[in-house]
Amino acid sequence: MGSKNKLKRFKENEKFENVIQPEREEIINKDYFLRGKWASQFFKNKNPLILELGCGKGEYTVELAKRHPEFNFLGIDIKGARFWRGAKTATEENIPNAKFLRAQIELVDLLFAPDEVSEIWITFPDPQIKFQRTKHRMTNPEFLKKYHRILKPDGIIHLKTDSEFMHGYTLGLIQGSNHELLYAHHDIYNNNEIASELVEIQTFYEKQYLEKNKAITYTKFRLNF
């Protein structure tokens, strides 16, 4: 994507009412003003909040919001030029329960209050395979602790990935730490029992992986700390 295109998208994001882009200092140095108030002040309702972490172009945020108007969906990514597509679609199609936040995922527990989030979706994260990159894996123990702080007691995490490594790594953590595995499958497109939205909603990258005949995995679990 050219730099002019990126700048244009950044400018559009600033005008979208469904996008918020706090400075890092706003989040770190004081109690963020929407923390504990995302539903009432940003979505203007009392509906449960669901996050898509590393949302990319925001396909899951937008499509789940269409299917489930009774929930608020918030896509989070540091790359605003990517989620511009989701924000624009949600604006054009008048999907009020799909919104976007530009922020780093490692700040998630500073952005949301305890028990504020009902579910978390992690869709096709970078598996960070090299050992020295372990701290950046979005299901590593430190990230799971952050998610646990903001999730409701019965909150659920969904992981969808093309990476066998990420799938196996996460399953190992779930089983080794006595978290509650609710469902797992190593190839959802060869599974007649899978929930329809798991195969009907496809991300930009997922479509590319499917064209290369890569298996798509899915894991659903609940944290116990």
Tab-separated table of all heavy atoms in Angstrom, residues 15-59:
chain	number	residue	atom	x	y	z
A	15	LYS	N	-12.201	10.914	10.919
A	15	LYS	CA	-13.569	11.424	10.754
A	15	LYS	C	-14.632	10.391	11.109
A	15	LYS	O	-15.788	10.751	11.336
A	15	LYS	CB	-13.765	11.893	9.308
A	15	LYS	CG	-12.854	13.038	8.907
A	15	LYS	CD	-13.018	13.378	7.430
A	15	LYS	CE	-12.061	14.476	7.014
A	15	LYS	NZ	-12.150	14.761	5.548
A	16	PHE	N	-14.256	9.119	11.140
A	16	PHE	CA	-15.238	8.080	11.427
A	16	PHE	C	-15.660	8.136	12.893
A	16	PHE	O	-14.814	8.159	13.796
A	16	PHE	CB	-14.659	6.687	11.143
A	16	PHE	CG	-14.478	6.365	9.683
A	16	PHE	CD1	-13.409	5.591	9.264
A	16	PHE	CD2	-15.382	6.818	8.732
A	16	PHE	CE1	-13.235	5.274	7.926
A	16	PHE	CE2	-15.219	6.503	7.387
A	16	PHE	CZ	-14.145	5.738	6.980
A	17	GLU	N	-16.957	8.125	13.134
A	17	GLU	CA	-17.456	8.127	14.508
A	17	GLU	C	-17.275	6.769	15.184
A	17	GLU	O	-17.377	6.675	16.408
A	17	GLU	CB	-18.934	8.525	14.523
A	17	GLU	CG	-19.172	9.979	14.125
A	17	GLU	CD	-20.622	10.378	14.242
A	17	GLU	OE1	-21.442	9.532	14.668
A	17	GLU	OE2	-20.937	11.541	13.916
A	18	ASN	N	-17.015	5.724	14.395
A	18	ASN	CA	-16.847	4.377	14.961
A	18	ASN	C	-15.381	4.023	15.186
A	18	ASN	O	-15.055	2.860	15.402
A	18	ASN	CB	-17.524	3.327	14.071
A	18	ASN	CG	-16.961	3.292	12.656
A	18	ASN	OD1	-16.017	4.021	12.325
A	18	ASN	ND2	-17.525	2.441	11.812
A	19	VAL	N	-14.497	5.024	15.151
A	19	VAL	CA	-13.061	4.800	15.376
A	19	VAL	C	-12.581	5.699	16.498
A	19	VAL	O	-12.927	6.880	16.559
A	19	VAL	CB	-12.242	5.092	14.097
A	19	VAL	CG1	-10.744	5.079	14.401
A	19	VAL	CG2	-12.564	4.070	13.010
A	20	ILE	N	-11.772	5.140	17.396
A	20	ILE	CA	-11.129	5.934	18.438
A	20	ILE	C	-9.645	5.595	18.455
A	20	ILE	O	-9.255	4.428	18.327
A	20	ILE	CB	-11.802	5.708	19.821
A	20	ILE	CG1	-11.286	6.732	20.823
A	20	ILE	CG2	-11.616	4.275	20.314
A	20	ILE	CD1	-12.172	6.876	22.052
A	21	GLN	N	-8.795	6.628	18.588
A	21	GLN	CA	-7.353	6.444	18.457
A	21	GLN	C	-6.603	7.182	19.572
A	21	GLN	O	-6.028	8.243	19.336
A	21	GLN	CB	-6.885	6.944	17.081
A	21	GLN	CG	-7.630	6.301	15.914
A	21	GLN	CD	-7.123	6.759	14.565
A	21	GLN	OE1	-6.194	6.180	14.018
A	21	GLN	NE2	-7.727	7.810	14.018
A	22	PRO	N	-6.622	6.646	20.762
A	22	PRO	CA	-5.940	7.336	21.871
A	22	PRO	C	-4.416	7.289	21.733
A	22	PRO	O	-3.865	6.362	21.138
A	22	PRO	CB	-6.395	6.536	23.098
A	22	PRO	CG	-6.670	5.164	22.568
A	22	PRO	CD	-7.223	5.367	21.192
A	23	GLU	N	-3.764	8.287	22.268
A	23	GLU	CA	-2.303	8.268	22.341
A	23	GLU	C	-1.883	7.261	23.408
A	23	GLU	O	-2.604	7.059	24.396
A	23	GLU	CB	-1.765	9.656	22.695
A	23	GLU	CG	-2.036	10.731	21.654
A	23	GLU	CD	-1.280	10.493	20.355
A	23	GLU	OE1	-0.185	9.876	20.410
A	23	GLU	OE2	-1.776	10.912	19.293
A	24	ARG	N	-0.725	6.669	23.228
A	24	ARG	CA	-0.223	5.688	24.195
A	24	ARG	C	-0.155	6.281	25.600
A	24	ARG	O	-0.487	5.619	26.585
A	24	ARG	CB	1.152	5.174	23.747
A	24	ARG	CG	1.742	4.090	24.647
A	24	ARG	CD	3.103	3.641	24.146
A	24	ARG	NE	3.743	2.734	25.091
A	24	ARG	CZ	3.585	1.424	25.100
A	24	ARG	NH1	2.795	0.859	24.212
A	24	ARG	NH2	4.203	0.674	25.992
A	25	GLU	N	0.258	7.554	25.680
A	25	GLU	CA	0.397	8.205	26.986
A	25	GLU	C	-0.948	8.340	27.699
A	25	GLU	O	-1.022	8.276	28.930
A	25	GLU	CB	1.041	9.580	26.817
A	25	GLU	CG	2.509	9.564	26.424
A	25	GLU	CD	2.744	9.101	24.979
A	25	GLU	OE1	1.801	9.242	24.148
A	25	GLU	OE2	3.835	8.579	24.701
A	26	GLU	N	-2.009	8.532	26.934
A	26	GLU	CA	-3.351	8.618	27.521
A	26	GLU	C	-3.714	7.341	28.251
A	26	GLU	O	-4.405	7.355	29.271
A	26	GLU	CB	-4.398	8.839	26.423
A	26	GLU	CG	-4.433	10.194	25.787
A	26	GLU	CD	-5.538	10.255	24.747
A	26	GLU	OE1	-6.720	10.223	25.144
A	26	GLU	OE2	-5.222	10.316	23.547
A	27	ILE	N	-3.268	6.219	27.695
A	27	ILE	CA	-3.617	4.913	28.246
A	27	ILE	C	-2.733	4.563	29.435
A	27	ILE	O	-3.209	4.073	30.464
A	27	ILE	CB	-3.474	3.822	27.154
A	27	ILE	CG1	-4.333	4.177	25.937
A	27	ILE	CG2	-3.856	2.452	27.702
A	27	ILE	CD1	-4.021	3.338	24.706
A	28	ILE	N	-1.446	4.852	29.308
A	28	ILE	CA	-0.473	4.420	30.322
A	28	ILE	C	-0.456	5.325	31.544
A	28	ILE	O	-0.391	4.846	32.686
A	28	ILE	CB	0.947	4.356	29.704
A	28	ILE	CG1	1.028	3.211	28.696
A	28	ILE	CG2	2.006	4.167	30.779
A	28	ILE	CD1	2.349	3.133	27.974
A	29	ASN	N	-0.514	6.621	31.340
A	29	ASN	CA	-0.247	7.572	32.418
A	29	ASN	C	-1.426	7.903	33.315
A	29	ASN	O	-1.266	8.529	34.348
A	29	ASN	CB	0.317	8.879	31.829
A	29	ASN	CG	1.662	8.660	31.159
A	29	ASN	OD1	2.378	7.713	31.481
A	29	ASN	ND2	2.012	9.526	30.225
A	30	LYS	N	-2.624	7.489	32.901
A	30	LYS	CA	-3.780	7.760	33.755
A	30	LYS	C	-4.879	6.757	33.445
A	30	LYS	O	-4.781	5.994	32.487
A	30	LYS	CB	-4.288	9.188	33.535
A	30	LYS	CG	-4.639	9.519	32.086
A	30	LYS	CD	-5.017	10.976	31.950
A	30	LYS	CE	-5.317	11.343	30.505
A	30	LYS	NZ	-5.646	12.761	30.339
A	31	ASP	N	-5.896	6.758	34.271
A	31	ASP	CA	-7.022	5.855	34.073
A	31	ASP	C	-7.759	6.270	32.804
A	31	ASP	O	-8.356	7.349	32.747
A	31	ASP	CB	-7.949	5.934	35.298
A	31	ASP	CG	-8.952	4.800	35.324
A	31	ASP	OD1	-8.718	3.787	34.639
A	31	ASP	OD2	-9.958	4.924	36.033
A	32	TYR	N	-7.704	5.427	31.779
A	32	TYR	CA	-8.278	5.797	30.487
A	32	TYR	C	-9.775	6.067	30.632
A	32	TYR	O	-10.492	5.301	31.276
A	32	TYR	CB	-8.015	4.695	29.463
A	32	TYR	CG	-8.458	5.065	28.067
A	32	TYR	CD1	-7.952	6.215	27.458
A	32	TYR	CD2	-9.396	4.312	27.384
A	32	TYR	CE1	-8.372	6.594	26.193
A	32	TYR	CE2	-9.812	4.676	26.115
A	32	TYR	CZ	-9.292	5.824	25.523
A	32	TYR	OH	-9.719	6.195	24.275
A	33	PHE	N	-10.244	7.141	30.007
A	33	PHE	CA	-11.595	7.647	30.293
A	33	PHE	C	-12.713	6.687	29.896
A	33	PHE	O	-13.810	6.761	30.444
A	33	PHE	CB	-11.792	9.015	29.635
A	33	PHE	CG	-12.135	8.981	28.170
A	33	PHE	CD1	-13.430	9.190	27.732
A	33	PHE	CD2	-11.143	8.742	27.221
A	33	PHE	CE1	-13.747	9.169	26.382
A	33	PHE	CE2	-11.453	8.716	25.869
A	33	PHE	CZ	-12.755	8.925	25.443
A	34	LEU	N	-12.466	5.765	28.960
A	34	LEU	CA	-13.507	4.813	28.568
A	34	LEU	C	-13.402	3.489	29.325
A	34	LEU	O	-14.263	2.626	29.165
A	34	LEU	CB	-13.447	4.548	27.058
A	34	LEU	CG	-14.027	5.638	26.156
A	34	LEU	CD1	-13.785	5.310	24.688
A	34	LEU	CD2	-15.518	5.821	26.412
A	35	ARG	N	-12.379	3.349	30.139
A	35	ARG	CA	-12.194	2.097	30.877
A	35	ARG	C	-13.388	1.861	31.807
A	35	ARG	O	-13.691	2.673	32.666
A	35	ARG	CB	-10.897	2.158	31.686
A	35	ARG	CG	-10.444	0.820	32.271
A	35	ARG	CD	-9.028	0.946	32.826
A	35	ARG	NE	-8.511	-0.345	33.238
A	35	ARG	CZ	-8.462	-0.774	34.494
A	35	ARG	NH1	-8.881	0.021	35.480
A	35	ARG	NH2	-7.981	-1.960	34.781
A	36	GLY	N	-14.084	0.758	31.576
A	36	GLY	CA	-15.281	0.451	32.348
A	36	GLY	C	-16.543	1.091	31.799
A	36	GLY	O	-17.634	0.874	32.337
A	37	LYS	N	-16.398	1.868	30.714
A	37	LYS	CA	-17.545	2.621	30.191
A	37	LYS	C	-17.700	2.474	28.678
A	37	LYS	O	-18.360	3.294	28.026
A	37	LYS	CB	-17.378	4.111	30.531
A	37	LYS	CG	-17.216	4.382	32.021
A	37	LYS	CD	-16.811	5.830	32.269
A	37	LYS	CE	-16.513	6.065	33.747
A	37	LYS	NZ	-15.984	7.424	33.996
A	38	TRP	N	-17.101	1.444	28.097
A	38	TRP	CA	-17.142	1.297	26.643
A	38	TRP	C	-18.579	1.160	26.130
A	38	TRP	O	-18.947	1.772	25.127
A	38	TRP	CB	-16.293	0.108	26.206
A	38	TRP	CG	-14.833	0.404	26.251
A	38	TRP	CD1	-13.977	0.177	27.300
A	38	TRP	CD2	-14.051	1.023	25.226
A	38	TRP	NE1	-12.711	0.620	26.990
A	38	TRP	CE2	-12.722	1.135	25.718
A	38	TRP	CE3	-14.333	1.489	23.944
A	38	TRP	CZ2	-11.695	1.686	24.966
A	38	TRP	CZ3	-13.302	2.036	23.182
A	38	TRP	CH2	-12.006	2.139	23.691
A	39	ALA	N	-19.372	0.342	26.796
A	39	ALA	CA	-20.754	0.141	26.332
A	39	ALA	C	-21.562	1.429	26.461
A	39	ALA	O	-22.209	1.879	25.506
A	39	ALA	CB	-21.424	-0.990	27.111
A	40	SER	N	-21.518	2.051	27.627
A	40	SER	CA	-22.387	3.206	27.887
A	40	SER	C	-21.954	4.462	27.131
A	40	SER	O	-22.798	5.219	26.638
A	40	SER	CB	-22.434	3.500	29.387
A	40	SER	OG	-21.146	3.812	29.885
A	41	GLN	N	-20.630	4.694	26.991
A	41	GLN	CA	-20.181	5.963	26.424
A	41	GLN	C	-19.748	5.881	24.961
A	41	GLN	O	-19.850	6.876	24.236
A	41	GLN	CB	-19.042	6.544	27.269
A	41	GLN	CG	-19.495	6.968	28.646
A	41	GLN	CD	-18.493	7.857	29.347
A	41	GLN	OE1	-17.567	8.389	28.733
A	41	GLN	NE2	-18.657	8.035	30.641
A	42	PHE	N	-19.257	4.719	24.514
A	42	PHE	CA	-18.806	4.615	23.129
A	42	PHE	C	-19.880	3.987	22.236
A	42	PHE	O	-20.144	4.452	21.140
A	42	PHE	CB	-17.505	3.808	23.056
A	42	PHE	CG	-16.779	3.921	21.733
A	42	PHE	CD1	-16.611	5.140	21.106
A	42	PHE	CD2	-16.233	2.798	21.129
A	42	PHE	CE1	-15.937	5.248	19.896
A	42	PHE	CE2	-15.555	2.889	19.922
A	42	PHE	CZ	-15.404	4.118	19.309
A	43	PHE	N	-20.516	2.922	22.746
A	43	PHE	CA	-21.579	2.263	21.979
A	43	PHE	C	-22.968	2.812	22.317
A	43	PHE	O	-23.922	2.561	21.593
A	43	PHE	CB	-21.554	0.753	22.222
A	43	PHE	CG	-20.402	0.053	21.557
A	43	PHE	CD1	-19.194	-0.117	22.223
A	43	PHE	CD2	-20.525	-0.449	20.268
A	43	PHE	CE1	-18.126	-0.771	21.611
A	43	PHE	CE2	-19.470	-1.102	19.646
A	43	PHE	CZ	-18.257	-1.255	20.325
A	44	LYS	N	-23.053	3.532	23.440
A	44	LYS	CA	-24.317	4.153	23.859
A	44	LYS	C	-25.420	3.129	24.125
A	44	LYS	O	-26.575	3.305	23.751
A	44	LYS	CB	-24.808	5.167	22.816
A	44	LYS	CG	-23.791	6.184	22.360
A	44	LYS	CD	-23.367	7.120	23.472
A	44	LYS	CE	-22.418	8.198	22.950
A	44	LYS	NZ	-21.921	9.078	24.025
A	45	ASN	N	-25.063	2.034	24.776
A	45	ASN	CA	-26.048	1.017	25.150
A	45	ASN	C	-25.523	0.221	26.343
A	45	ASN	O	-24.497	0.574	26.933
A	45	ASN	CB	-26.383	0.104	23.964
A	45	ASN	CG	-25.164	-0.642	23.428
A	45	ASN	OD1	-24.340	-1.143	24.184
A	45	ASN	ND2	-25.049	-0.713	22.099
A	46	LYS	N	-26.201	-0.864	26.677
A	46	LYS	CA	-25.787	-1.705	27.806
A	46	LYS	C	-25.442	-3.125	27.351
A	46	LYS	O	-25.417	-4.056	28.152
A	46	LYS	CB	-26.907	-1.761	28.850
A	46	LYS	CG	-27.219	-0.414	29.489
A	46	LYS	CD	-28.332	-0.538	30.519
A	46	LYS	CE	-28.647	0.809	31.160
A	46	LYS	NZ	-29.758	0.688	32.158
A	47	ASN	N	-25.172	-3.306	26.075
A	47	ASN	CA	-24.934	-4.644	25.538
A	47	ASN	C	-23.545	-5.184	25.894
A	47	ASN	O	-22.611	-4.409	26.098
A	47	ASN	CB	-25.103	-4.632	24.012
A	47	ASN	CG	-26.520	-4.316	23.599
A	47	ASN	OD1	-27.455	-4.481	24.378
A	47	ASN	ND2	-26.699	-3.842	22.376
A	48	PRO	N	-23.403	-6.514	25.959
A	48	PRO	CA	-22.104	-7.126	26.254
A	48	PRO	C	-21.064	-6.767	25.191
A	48	PRO	O	-21.399	-6.570	24.012
A	48	PRO	CB	-22.412	-8.626	26.238
A	48	PRO	CG	-23.879	-8.729	26.474
A	48	PRO	CD	-24.476	-7.519	25.828
A	49	LEU	N	-19.804	-6.707	25.619
A	49	LEU	CA	-18.702	-6.277	24.758
A	49	LEU	C	-17.852	-7.467	24.327
A	49	LEU	O	-17.424	-8.276	25.154
A	49	LEU	CB	-17.836	-5.266	25.512
A	49	LEU	CG	-16.599	-4.726	24.801
A	49	LEU	CD1	-17.006	-3.928	23.552
A	49	LEU	CD2	-15.786	-3.844	25.753
A	50	ILE	N	-17.601	-7.545	23.020
A	50	ILE	CA	-16.742	-8.591	22.452
A	50	ILE	C	-15.609	-7.918	21.684
A	50	ILE	O	-15.842	-7.007	20.892
A	50	ILE	CB	-17.548	-9.522	21.519
A	50	ILE	CG1	-18.627	-10.249	22.324
A	50	ILE	CG2	-16.625	-10.528	20.830
A	50	ILE	CD1	-19.541	-11.132	21.495
A	51	LEU	N	-14.370	-8.369	21.915
A	51	LEU	CA	-13.196	-7.792	21.271
A	51	LEU	C	-12.667	-8.713	20.179
A	51	LEU	O	-12.690	-9.935	20.322
A	51	LEU	CB	-12.072	-7.574	22.292
A	51	LEU	CG	-12.391	-6.823	23.580
A	51	LEU	CD1	-11.121	-6.709	24.429
A	51	LEU	CD2	-12.982	-5.442	23.288
A	52	GLU	N	-12.162	-8.110	19.101
A	52	GLU	CA	-11.340	-8.837	18.136
A	52	GLU	C	-9.943	-8.231	18.225
A	52	GLU	O	-9.736	-7.073	17.863
A	52	GLU	CB	-11.874	-8.729	16.706
A	52	GLU	CG	-11.042	-9.573	15.740
A	52	GLU	CD	-11.368	-9.359	14.268
A	52	GLU	OE1	-12.203	-8.497	13.938
A	52	GLU	OE2	-10.754	-10.064	13.439
A	53	LEU	N	-8.988	-9.002	18.720
A	53	LEU	CA	-7.632	-8.506	18.932
A	53	LEU	C	-6.785	-8.765	17.693
A	53	LEU	O	-6.755	-9.871	17.164
A	53	LEU	CB	-7.007	-9.190	20.147
A	53	LEU	CG	-7.763	-9.065	21.464
A	53	LEU	CD1	-7.002	-9.745	22.588
A	53	LEU	CD2	-8.030	-7.595	21.810
A	54	GLY	N	-6.056	-7.720	17.254
A	54	GLY	CA	-5.310	-7.840	16.008
A	54	GLY	C	-6.273	-8.030	14.858
A	54	GLY	O	-6.149	-8.958	14.067
A	55	CYS	N	-7.239	-7.121	14.755
A	55	CYS	CA	-8.401	-7.335	13.879
A	55	CYS	C	-8.109	-7.193	12.397
A	55	CYS	O	-8.956	-7.534	11.570
A	55	CYS	CB	-9.529	-6.391	14.282
A	55	CYS	SG	-9.180	-4.637	13.972
A	56	GLY	N	-6.915	-6.667	12.024
A	56	GLY	CA	-6.607	-6.531	10.609
A	56	GLY	C	-7.621	-5.650	9.905
A	56	GLY	O	-7.882	-4.522	10.314
A	57	LYS	N	-8.246	-6.167	8.859
A	57	LYS	CA	-9.227	-5.399	8.093
A	57	LYS	C	-10.608	-5.392	8.758
A	57	LYS	O	-11.549	-4.783	8.245
A	57	LYS	CB	-9.325	-5.947	6.670
A	57	LYS	CG	-8.054	-5.757	5.850
A	57	LYS	CD	-8.182	-6.407	4.486
A	57	LYS	CE	-6.906	-6.291	3.684
A	57	LYS	NZ	-6.619	-4.905	3.247
A	58	GLY	N	-10.739	-6.112	9.875
A	58	GLY	CA	-11.964	-6.046	10.663
A	58	GLY	C	-13.106	-6.911	10.173
A	58	GLY	O	-14.267	-6.680	10.522
A	59	GLU	N	-12.781	-7.947	9.397
A	59	GLU	CA	-13.850	-8.779	8.834
A	59	GLU	C	-14.709	-9.432	9.911
A	59	GLU	O	-15.942	-9.455	9.804
A	59	GLU	CB	-13.261	-9.879	7.933
A	59	GLU	CG	-12.533	-9.372	6.708
A	59	GLU	CD	-11.038	-9.225	6.906
A	59	GLU	OE1	-10.599	-9.168	8.084
A	59	GLU	OE2	-10.309	-9.147	5.911
